[in-house]
């Protein structure tokens, strides 16, 4: 079934189905579709009320989406704790890709958070730190949109194994599109190599999963790629996705 067929089918259904039913149908229709087809469906369905989120670990999702929807709003959560390499990757993305990078800022600066809540909140209460510096700012930034595209994949972590290519984001009451949900790390590596995708240079220094500097460490060969995130804190997700 082509994307056009899918779009026609969804339009026919819109009159009698609410958005959650459309999402459930799209998840089935698009389960075996390519990432580009899934993105084309999202762009055709949500137009300018669609955005993507980018951690600036690499520009794979940015490359994929900008080929279908040039100028797409691209939300980058500037937590104030990023590696300089991540900030540099964001700046390079602005120069290289046809996307509209929007810096999403927490309500408090790092200095204000330390003044109000004490130093090193990330070490004492990382869930609260992630909420204040990632989750709340993203929730606020997503409000104008009907749908967002994320780059999460099923093989990244057990917590992500059940994600659908299109799903209802219950917390935010909007649609979430995961066009590379089915991709493996090999698929990612091949796409980056074949398309010359810009990547965060920390990948060359044994950081396969990149978050805020205080909560990300290098990973030894053979270790779980996400084991460098919040190491020793019993935390595996920041709360943006799961
Ligand atoms: S990853 Fe660490 S520093 Fe970044 S928001 Fe979460 S707890 Fe804070």
């Amino acid at each position: 079934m082509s994307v056009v067929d899918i779009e026609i089918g969804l339009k026919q259904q819109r009159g009698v189905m609410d958005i959650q039913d459309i999402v459930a149908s799209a998840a089935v229709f698009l389960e075996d579709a390519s990432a580009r087809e899934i993105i084309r469906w999202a762009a055709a369905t949500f137009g300018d009320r669609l955005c993507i989120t980018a951690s600036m670990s690499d520009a794979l999702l940015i490359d994929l989406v900008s080929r279908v929807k040039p100028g797409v709003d691209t939300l980058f959560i500037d937590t104030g704790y990023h590696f300089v390499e991540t900030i540099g990757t964001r700046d390079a993305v602005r120069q290289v890709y046809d996307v509209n990078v929007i810096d999403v800022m927490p309500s408090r600066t790092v200095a204000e958070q330390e003044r109000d809540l004490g130093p090193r909140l990330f070490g004492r209460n990382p869930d609260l730190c992630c909420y204040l510096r990632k989750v709340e700012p993203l929730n606020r930034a997503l409000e104008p949109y009907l749908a967002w595209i994320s780059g999460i994949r099923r093989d990244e972590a057990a917590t992500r194994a059940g994600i659908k290519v299109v799903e209802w984001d219950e917390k935010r009451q909007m649609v979430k599109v995961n066009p590379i949900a089915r991709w493996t790390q090999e698929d990612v590596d091949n796409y980056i190599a074949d398309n010359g995708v810009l990547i965060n240079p920390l990948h060359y220094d044994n950081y396969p999963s990149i978050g805020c500097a205080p909560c990300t460490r290098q990973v030894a060969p053979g270790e779980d790629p996400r084991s460098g995130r919040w190491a020793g804190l019993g935390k595996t997700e920041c709360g943006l996705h799961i």
Side-chain angles (χ1 to χ4, degrees):
M1 179 177 290
S2 74
V3 160
V4 172
D5 293 329
I6 293 164
E7 288 169 8
I8 291 171
L10 285 170
K11 282 174 183 164
Q12 288 171 339
Q13 294 170 54
R14 271 198 190 111
V16 294
M17 299 172 72
D18 68 16
I19 187 72
Q20 292 187 46
D21 292 326
I22 291 172
V23 166
S25 295
V28 174
F29 285 139
L30 294 167
E31 170 59 25
D32 297 321
S34 69
R36 179 173 285 223
E37 286 177 320
I38 295 166
I39 294 165
R40 285 180 57 203
W41 171 83
T45 305
F46 302 109
D48 289 337
R49 303 288 299 282
L50 174 73
C51 68
I52 71 175
T53 54
S55 67
M56 301 301 169
S57 176
D58 59 57
L60 190 154
L61 188 68
I62 289 166
D63 184 286
L64 275 169
V65 178
S66 64
R67 290 171 191 254
V68 175
K69 189 171 173 52
V72 64
D73 286 351
T74 301
L75 308 183
F76 169 68
I77 308 172
D78 190 350
T79 64
Y81 283 119
H82 284 302
F83 291 99
V84 293
E85 290 88 346
T86 301
I87 298 300
T89 302
R90 176 203 62 188
D91 294 344
V93 161
R94 280 199 166 108
Q95 300 298 320
V96 171
Y97 295 95
D98 187 358
V99 293
N100 178 33
V101 178
I102 298 171
D103 292 324
V104 176
M105 310 302 289
S107 300
R108 293 181 177 95
T109 65
V110 169
E112 288 168 345
Q113 178 170 296
E114 293 193 348
R115 178 197 65 199
D116 295 344
L117 299 169
R120 301 177 59 84
L121 184 63
F122 49 80
R124 294 179 287 114
N125 190 341
D127 286 343
L128 178 59
C129 188
C130 276
Y131 179 79
L132 294 173
R133 310 211 70 76
K134 290 185 172 182
V135 178
E136 189 281 329
L138 182 65
N139 291 350
R140 191 167 14 95
L142 285 173
E143 278 177 12
Y145 303 97
L146 294 171
W148 62 302
I149 301 179
S150 112
I152 61 172
R153 309 194 321 267
R154 291 171 186 161
D155 77 343
E156 288 177 311
T159 48
R160 300 183 178 187
I163 61 170
K164 295 182 167 59
V165 295
V166 181
E167 55 192 12
W168 180 245
D169 183 341
E170 188 68 38
K171 278 190 288 191
R172 302 178 180 91
Q173 294 290 293
M174 64 190 300
V175 178
K176 185 177 182 189
V177 183
N178 305 311
I180 61 169
R182 296 196 327 270
W183 285 28
T184 63
Q185 185 61 50
E186 185 179 6
D187 294 329
V188 168
D189 294 343
N190 288 340
Y191 186 92
I192 287 173
D194 292 347
N195 295 279
V197 171
L198 200 154
I199 70 169
N200 190 317
L202 287 172
H203 281 287
Y204 300 116
D205 197 20
N206 297 318
Y207 288 91
S209 179
I210 303 166
C212 293
C215 301
T216 306
R217 67 158 174 80
Q218 289 169 303
V219 168
E223 265 191 298
D224 177 350
R226 280 185 68 82
S227 63
R229 306 287 297 278
W230 302 286
L233 291 175
K235 178 176 168 69
T236 57
E237 295 280 353
C238 58
L240 294 178
H241 300 289
I242 307 294

